[in-house]
């Protein structure tokens, strides 16, 4: 018989052990080894049995054992020390508290969070990054208030069929069995309400996960107030069809803001000044904030400026197919008719998400139009994003499209093997926080690092065998058939890891391009290689599942199955095992389709070396000696030919460079040349790949400027926002009358020489605008074969005179600071102190004909 209802009965702790409950319900334990040691001491065998899940541990430990611990003075001293350490961690000032003029609080929205394997609320890189973002914020004292959804079935657990086909399972999660607390107002649970078409209402309760110092609010629609369809809104991550996805994103964005308001009112937490939107999934939060302001007697345009000033939007995808897009009529159903918000016209909402294809509502486009600051997640991804979204700022060069970049980072205490942490001593946490001092790695002996690498590799091999045995049993194999698994993988063999989601562009099967050559590498008698692989395909991605099946079928072959394994159900626990135990981390996406990627960063912090296509973060931080770059065939249009070339380059690197260096041990059995690369990798990448560095960049470059802008526009009952909105409307209406009518140049003869300068006088028709409304600039520099300016520099032209008919004359000087082909032009852009960039309004006026040097060449 099946139970009609499932719930978790929590343990009642003896008074002496109450602090144990405090430790369990703060997720700091997920990156704090001393607290994990304490949990293990409760019952070592049970701790292993529950998979290092503290909530499950307390749910399974016997009352008799708890009474023993309550009388154990040594355990109570350790418990008191751990509780005191947590309280001090939660309250003592940290880096952020030393900074002036920073945001009082930052709201951080993401559809998924990878905090710990015991909370399966993530699918891949976006969720893991979000989890690391929160952990780094906690360590640095950044006052983030995070928002997400609580998925009752998580993403999915993965197994394999006898034929190697991915199978998905959706085990039900009980919130009572997770380290969560229900948000209550007095004795009543807080309920968030969203109006739906046809008079329906979506209700959600709010669970709070405490991630160190950071509260994470998770909205849950599985409440009795909802009808069946509404209860299923938060059933699973990235599941369901278009309507279902839209409902999730409405709850995340609109409901998330309402949850924040309730949480701040009840707890006294500071209201966020900055709202950080990760990808378009949470983009509706901007509409909810506009609704709040317009119901306080602001116009839509005024509210839009106030909201934009304090909003940061991060795009995480380098391909249009990765962006959520909805039919416009579906958006109209939810924001028009009987669902309309009286102060937020549906036509304005549709305009925010409008894109090139009629009838489609683009969540990323709306997110960018609702944010004054936008960034990608690596330098290359920033460039790719500027190209992808350039049409939002027509007329501007790519370099001026206002999308910057902050390269992702990883939370070292979560991902670095404990042995490495202990090797570096208690100094490493401060290194992680300060992001400097990593050159001290050079002082550690090669033998110490090599021995730790061997220990981590052995742990991976043991864990892989256990998972491999379990997978084969699930596929129908008998115990008698699985004796070979005892010798699968070898703790002394060069180990390459590949683990990630399995969309086609990540090219899981590139290594299979030449199966015979791969087999020769695996079985080389002198320099063998072994490969550990993991990854999940989206349940609806049949192509991704076929790629997994191809890998599994190859790995099932008797002659190679001891050298290459596919481990199902990739999660944080397996991820930690792999990035710590693999000697080499392989990444071979189609360049430039990897936005950032972070698993290779985790491997590097554990003394692993990267073998990667120069994409994402590796493109900017590969220095020639901290790993290997797989050559790319960027100019080859035939995808099969490109795969063939890049696979060949991969095989060559493994055979002639990676393996040679790993097995080159001429003296004391230590691979000295390999260790040189390992130490250089730790010293060169250590400070860069940290989530602490990433978060500092967000604070300095985005959060603090956004907070200042938000404060400036909200001052005096939003007087500045009203004035800025009026200015924008006036300038936008008048812009068709703005023209560059004439440009005169003087001061240079027929043979211009470097070091001279050109005097420019530009006549500008301002129409109904004033000179202070615009910025007139000379753009100058190298010109390409079609007279296009290549990465131009800009010189501001000053107002010389203004005529009664609206014509103004601006003058300035252009330095001839380079030899070769040189050119210049003049442009006019809107100018206002509250505009973050010249491209913010997407308006520009340039001469109808290009303006340049007569002969175009300097000497």
């Amino acid at each position: 018989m099946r139970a009609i209802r499932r719930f978790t009965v929590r343990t009642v702790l003896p008074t002496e052990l109450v602090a144990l409950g405090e430790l369990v319900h703060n997720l700091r334990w997920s990156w704090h080894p001393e607290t994990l040691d304490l949990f293990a001491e409760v019952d070592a065998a049970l701790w292993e049995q529950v998979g290092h899940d503290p909530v499950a541990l307390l749910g399974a430990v016997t009352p008799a054992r708890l009474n023993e611990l309550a009388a154990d003075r040594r355990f109570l001293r350790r418990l008191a020390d751990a509780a005191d350490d947590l309280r001090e961690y939660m309250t003592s000032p940290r880096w952020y508290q030393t900074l002036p003029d920073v945001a009082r609080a930052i709201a951080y929205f993401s559809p998924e969070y990878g905090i710990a394997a015991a909370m399966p609320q993530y699918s891949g890189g976006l969720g893991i990054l979000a989890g690391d973002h929160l952990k780094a914020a906690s360590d640095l004292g950044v006052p983030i208030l995070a928002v997400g959804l609580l998925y009752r079935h998580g993403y999915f657990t993965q197994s394999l069929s006898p034929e190697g086909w991915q199978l998905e399972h959706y085990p039900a999660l009980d919130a009572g069995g997770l380290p969560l607390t229900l948000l209550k107002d007095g004795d009543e649970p807080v309920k968030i309400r969203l109006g739906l078409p046809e008079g329906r209402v979506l209700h959600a309760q709010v669970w709070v996960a405490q991630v160190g110092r950071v509260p994470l609010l998770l909205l849950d629609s599985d409440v009795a107030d909802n009808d069946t369809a509404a209860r299923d809104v938060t059933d699973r991550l990235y599941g369901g069809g278009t309507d279902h996805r839209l409902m999730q994103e409405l709850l995340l964005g609109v409901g998330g803001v309402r949850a924040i308001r309730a949480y701040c009112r009840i707890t006294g937490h500071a209201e966020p000044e900055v709202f950080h939107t990760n990808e378009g999934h949470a983009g509706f939060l901007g509409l909810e904030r506009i609704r709040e302001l317009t119901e306080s007697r602001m116009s839509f345009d005024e509210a839009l400026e106030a909201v934009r000033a304090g909003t940061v939007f991060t795009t995480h995808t380098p391909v249009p197919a990765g962006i959520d897009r909805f039919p416009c009529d579906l958006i109209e159903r939810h924001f028009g008719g009987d669902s309309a918000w009286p102060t937020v016209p549906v036509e304005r909402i549709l305009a925010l998400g409008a894109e090139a294809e009629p009838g489609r509502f683009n969540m990323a486009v709306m997110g960018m139009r609702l944010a004054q600051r936008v960034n990608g997640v690596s330098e290359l991804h920033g460039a790719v994003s500027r190209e992808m979204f350039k049409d939002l700022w027509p007329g501007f060069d790519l370099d001026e499209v206002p999308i910057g970049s902050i390269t992702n980072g990883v939370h070292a205490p979560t991902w670095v093997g404990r042995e490495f942490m202990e090797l570096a001593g208690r100094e490493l946490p401060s290194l992680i926080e300060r992001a400097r001092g990593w050159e001290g790695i050079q002082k550690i002996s090669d033998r110490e690092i090599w021995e730790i690498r061997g220990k981590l590799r052995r742990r991976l091999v043991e864990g892989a065998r256990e998972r491999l045995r379990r997978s084969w049993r699930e596929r129908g194999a008998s115990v008698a058939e699985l004796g070979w698994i005892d010798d699968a993988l070898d703790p002394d063999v060069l180990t390459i890891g590949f683990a990630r989601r399995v969309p086609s562009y990540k090219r899981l099967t590139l290594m299979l391009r030449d199966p015979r050559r791969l087999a020769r590498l695996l079985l080389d008698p002198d320099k063998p290689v072994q490969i550990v692989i993991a990854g999940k395909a989206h349940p609806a991605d049949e192509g991704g599942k076929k790629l997994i099946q191809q890998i599994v079928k190859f790995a099932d072959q008797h002659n190679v199955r001891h050298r290459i394994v596919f481990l199902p159900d990739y999660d944080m626990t397996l991820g930690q095992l792999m990035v710590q135990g693999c000697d080499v981390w392989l990444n071979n996406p189609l360049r430039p389709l990897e936005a950032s990627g972070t698993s290779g960063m985790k491997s590097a912090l554990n003394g692993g070396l990267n073998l990667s296509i120069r994409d994402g973060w590796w493109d900017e931080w590969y220095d020639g000696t901290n790993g290997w770059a797989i050559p790319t065939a960027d100019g080859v249009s035939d995808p099969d030919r490109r795969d063939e070339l890049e696979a060949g380059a991969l095989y060559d690197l493994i055979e002639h460079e990676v393996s040679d260096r790993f097995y080159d041990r001429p003296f004391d059995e230590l691979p000295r040349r390999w260790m040189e690369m390992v130490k250089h990798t730790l010293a060169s990448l250590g400070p860069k790949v940290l989530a602490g560095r990433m978060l500092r960049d967000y604070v300095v470059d985005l959060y603090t400027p956004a907070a200042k802008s938000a404060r400036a526009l909200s001052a005096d009952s939003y007087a500045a926002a009203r004035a800025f909105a009026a200015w924008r409307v006036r300038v936008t209406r008048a812009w068709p009358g703005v023209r560059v009518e004439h440009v005169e140049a003087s001061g240079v003869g027929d043979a211009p020489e470097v070091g001279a300068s050109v005097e420019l006088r530009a006549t500008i028709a301002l129409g109904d605008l004033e000179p202070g409304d615009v910025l007139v600039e000379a753009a100058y520099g190298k010109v390409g074969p079609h007279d296009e300016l290549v990465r131009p520099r800009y010189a501001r032209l000053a107002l010389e005179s203004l005529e009664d008919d609206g014509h103004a004359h601006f003058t300035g000087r252009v330095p001839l600071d380079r030899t070769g082909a040189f050119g210049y032009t003049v442009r006019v852009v809107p100018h206002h102190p509250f505009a973050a960039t010249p491209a913010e309004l997407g308006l520009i006026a340039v001469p109808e004909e290009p303006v340049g040097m007569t002969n175009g060449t300097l000497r």
Side-chain angles (χ1 to χ4, degrees):
M1 291 184 293
R2 295 186 63 186
I4 61 172
R5 185 183 173 202
R6 172 183 175 145
F7 54 89
T8 299
V9 180
R10 296 195 175 188
T11 301
V12 178
L13 293 169
T15 304
E16 296 85 351
L17 301 181
V18 167
L20 195 59
E22 295 177 27
L23 294 174
V24 167
H25 281 86
N26 190 309
L27 283 154
R28 186 206 184 199
W29 56 257
S30 67
W31 72 92
H32 194 248
E34 290 79 7
T35 304
L36 293 174
D37 288 345
L38 186 70
F39 294 152
E41 195 169 336
V42 171
D43 187 322
L46 189 58
W47 179 240
E48 295 301 321
Q49 183 180 326
V50 299
H52 296 189
D53 180 345
V55 178
L57 175 73
L58 291 191
V61 68
T62 65
R65 177 56 180 161
L66 291 176
N67 289 333
E68 285 179 20
L69 293 171
D72 185 336
R73 292 184 179 180
R74 188 184 64 84
F75 181 83
L76 293 178
R77 282 196 299 271
R78 290 192 63 192
L79 175 59
D81 289 343
D84 287 344
D85 181 74
L86 176 61
R87 291 173 193 133
E88 198 237 345
Y89 172 85
M90 294 288 288
T91 57
S92 62
R94 305 187 80 80
W95 169 75
Y96 191 83
Q97 283 67 48
T98 68
L99 303 179
D101 300 324
V102 290
R104 292 189 299 271
I106 301 110
Y108 183 90
F109 284 65
S110 174
E112 52 176 301
Y113 290 91
I115 309 294
M119 275 188 59
Q121 300 290 305
Y122 57 92
S123 72
L126 177 63
I128 299 300
L129 173 71
D132 283 7
H133 198 103
L134 301 195
K135 294 172 184 178
S138 177
D139 291 341
L140 295 176
V142 181
I144 281 180
L145 177 56
V147 180
L149 301 180
L150 180 67
Y151 304 98
R152 290 299 178 126
H153 297 278
Y155 188 41
F156 66 88
T157 59
Q158 176 197 49
S159 64
L160 299 174
S161 73
E163 298 76 29
W165 189 256
Q166 172 180 291
L167 303 175
E168 299 92 27
H169 314 275
Y170 294 90
L173 299 174
D174 173 28
L178 299 174
L180 303 173
T181 304
L182 193 61
L183 180 63
K184 293 184 177 181
D185 191 355
D187 294 330
E188 292 297 316
V190 169
K191 294 286 178 62
I192 305 302
R193 299 173 74 255
L194 271 71
L196 300 177
E198 300 174 359
R200 294 173 62 228
V201 176
L202 173 62
H203 303 263
Q205 58 191 359
V206 182
W207 296 91
V208 182
Q210 195 64 41
V211 186
R213 299 161 70 112
V214 175
L216 167 58
L217 311 183
L218 298 171
L219 283 79
D220 172 19
S221 71
D222 188 16
V223 295
D225 311 69
N226 286 329
D227 58 33
T228 301
R231 291 188 77 147
D232 287 343
V233 166
T234 56
D235 58 349
R236 60 185 63 171
L237 178 59
Y238 302 145
T242 301
D243 287 13
H244 187 266
R245 190 72 169 263
L246 178 61
M247 293 279 281
Q248 286 188 337
E249 298 189 2
L250 285 167
L251 181 59
L252 176 61
V254 177
V257 174
R258 295 177 185 178
I260 282 178
R261 302 307 186 206
Y263 181 84
C264 292
R265 174 178 56 81
I266 293 166
T267 66
H269 191 287
E271 289 279 357
E273 293 182 291
V274 175
F275 284 73
H276 186 173
T277 310
N278 276 288
E279 206 46 84
H281 309 292
F284 290 121
L285 72 87
L287 297 184
E288 169 64 8
R289 295 176 62 213
I290 288 174
R291 183 198 63 78
E292 292 176 330
L293 293 173
T294 54
E295 290 185 357
S296 300
R297 298 180 180 273
M298 290 180 74
S299 72
F300 183 95
D301 290 312
E302 294 165 349
L304 175 61
E305 296 307 328
V307 166
R308 289 183 70 255
T311 301
V312 173
F313 181 88
T314 299
T315 174
H316 296 265
T317 178
V319 290
I323 294 169
D324 282 336
R325 299 160 74 233
F326 297 107
C328 284
D329 58 1
L330 185 59
I331 300 297
E332 285 187 272
R333 273 209 316 126
H334 280 272
F335 290 102
D338 63 352
S339 300
W341 292 353
T343 59
V344 184
V346 67
E347 295 80 12
R348 299 300 302 267
I349 295 174
L350 291 171
L352 288 171
E355 58 160 51
E357 182 180 342
R360 306 298 294 179
F361 186 90
N362 189 307
M363 294 294 290
V365 166
M366 177 184 69
M368 292 183 183
R369 287 176 173 147
L370 286 170
Q372 196 172 46
R373 290 164 179 83
V374 181
N375 71 286
V377 290
S378 69
E379 286 185 2
L380 180 59
H381 179 234
V384 169
S385 298
R386 288 189 287 275
E387 173 68 35
M388 189 159 60
F389 294 105
K390 63 184 179 182
D391 290 344
L392 297 180
W393 296 274
F396 287 89
D397 291 337
L398 276 179
D399 288 345
E400 281 201 292
V401 170
I403 301 176
S405 66
I406 291 180
T407 303
N408 286 343
V410 299
H411 186 247
T414 297
W415 300 104
V416 174
R418 189 166 182 177
E419 291 81 0
F420 261 112
M421 299 285 281
E422 292 172 351
L423 178 65
R426 294 303 90 194
E427 187 182 13
L428 187 55
S430 61
L431 292 182
I432 290 166
E433 193 168 298
R434 297 196 311 269
R436 62 175 183 268
W438 285 81
E439 62 277 1
I441 291 291
Q442 299 294 343
K443 300 176 184 177
I444 300 173
S445 74
D446 288 358
R447 184 167 297 279
E448 285 181 292
I449 295 177
W450 182 244
E451 287 177 353
I452 288 177
R453 291 293 321 139
K455 184 180 293 188
L456 295 175
R457 195 184 310 111
R458 281 192 296 275
R459 185 181 300 154
L460 169 60
V461 167
E462 291 166 3
R465 288 172 180 170
E466 181 181 332
R467 285 173 176 260
L468 194 61
R469 184 172 287 106
R470 185 165 62 243
S471 175
W472 275 89
R473 290 297 306 277
E474 291 172 349
R475 294 173 67 187
S478 66
V479 174
E481 297 175 82
L482 301 181
W484 65 271
I485 291 179
D486 292 337
D487 298 315
L489 305 179
D490 185 327
D492 294 320
V493 165
L494 170 63
T495 305
I496 298 175
F498 184 103
R500 49 193 29 90
R501 290 185 304 109
V502 191
S504 59
Y505 77 86
K506 292 182 183 284
R507 296 194 294 185
L508 168 67
T509 55
L510 186 69
M511 65 182 78
L512 297 184
R513 188 73 191 185
D514 186 341
R516 292 183 179 179
R517 187 169 184 190
L518 176 60
R520 288 200 303 271
L521 291 173
L522 297 172
L523 302 174
D524 189 297
D526 300 315
K527 300 181 298 179
V529 173
Q530 59 193 13
I531 306 177
V532 181
I533 304 167
K536 291 180 176 180
H538 188 280
D541 183 5
E542 296 294 305
K545 293 180 185 180
K546 289 179 182 177
L547 297 179
I548 290 175
Q549 187 178 46
Q550 290 171 30
I551 281 285
V552 172
K553 284 187 173 181
F554 180 86
D556 281 353
Q557 297 177 97
H558 285 70
N559 63 322
V560 296
R561 65 186 183 182
H562 64 299
R563 285 282 185 260
I564 181 169
V565 298
F566 180 89
L567 304 179
D569 209 20
Y570 182 39
D571 63 0
M572 288 186 69
T573 299
L574 178 55
Q576 288 167 330
L577 198 65
M578 290 184 65
V579 297
Q580 292 171 17
C582 289
D583 302 293
V584 173
W585 199 258
L586 174 62
N587 189 28
N588 46 231
L590 273 171
R591 188 179 190 273
L593 301 184
E594 183 80 273
S596 179
T598 57
S599 53
M601 297 178 175
K602 299 162 192 168
S603 178
L605 287 175
N606 283 285
L609 300 177
N610 277 267
L611 172 61
S612 177
I613 294 286
R614 290 194 64 167
D615 202 0
W617 73 275
W618 189 237
D619 182 68
E620 64 193 87
W621 287 339
Y622 168 67
D623 67 7
T625 56
N626 58 2
W628 295 273
I630 303 169
T632 55
D634 290 339
V636 177
S637 57
D638 180 0
D640 285 338
R641 177 60 177 159
R642 178 171 180 167
D643 283 356
E644 181 182 348
L645 292 171
E646 294 184 4
L650 170 62
Y651 298 139
D652 287 343
L653 280 171
I654 294 174
E655 182 174 4
H656 301 301
E657 296 194 35
V658 181
S659 295
D660 280 354
R661 192 173 285 254
F662 183 84
Y663 289 106
D664 180 15
R665 306 172 192 180
F667 303 111
D668 48 8
E669 297 185 353
L670 290 178
R672 296 293 183 181
R673 292 193 304 140
W674 184 271
M675 296 311 299
E676 286 177 8
M677 290 184 70
V678 168
K679 285 186 169 182
H680 175 65
T681 293
L682 287 166
S684 64
L685 292 180
K688 297 176 182 176
V689 301
L690 299 175
R693 184 275 313 155
M694 171 188 72
L695 196 61
R696 288 168 186 267
D697 289 347
Y698 272 104
V699 167
V700 173
D701 298 339
L702 296 176
Y703 293 163
T704 299
K708 291 179 179 178
S709 294
R711 283 181 205 150
L713 265 68
S714 64
D716 298 326
S717 300
Y718 292 95
R722 299 176 196 275
F724 187 34
W727 174 84
R728 179 190 284 263
V729 170
R730 179 170 60 84
V731 168
T732 302
R733 288 175 178 169
W735 199 255
V738 177
R739 297 184 305 279
V740 179
E741 293 201 339
H742 184 64
V743 179
E744 299 174 7
S746 62
V748 176
D750 293 335
E753 295 182 348
V754 68
S757 61
V758 180
E759 295 283 348
L760 295 183
R761 186 173 190 268
T763 301
I764 309 298
L766 294 176
D768 294 330
L769 299 183
E770 300 294 328
D773 294 326
V774 300
L775 177 65
V776 181
E777 295 177 309
Y780 63 93
K782 177 183 177 181
V783 292
H786 303 291
D787 289 337
E788 74 278 9
L789 286 167
V790 179
R791 294 188 179 87
R793 298 168 65 186
Y794 297 91
R796 184 169 183 170
L797 305 186
L799 178 67
E800 179 189 65
S801 61
L802 177 64
E803 299 177 12
D804 293 340
D805 62 358
H807 285 77
H809 303 284
F810 292 81
T811 60
R813 185 185 298 269
V814 169
L816 306 183
D817 55 2
R818 66 177 312 279
T819 58
F822 189 95
Y824 64 84
T825 189
V826 172
R827 72 173 190 179
V828 187
V829 293
H831 176 68
H832 193 283
F834 288 140
T837 72
E840 183 160 320
L841 273 66
L843 301 174
I844 188 170
V846 295
E848 294 184 6
E849 296 294 332
V851 180
M853 301 301 297
T854 303
N855 64 5
T857 302
L858 297 179
R859 292 185 297 179

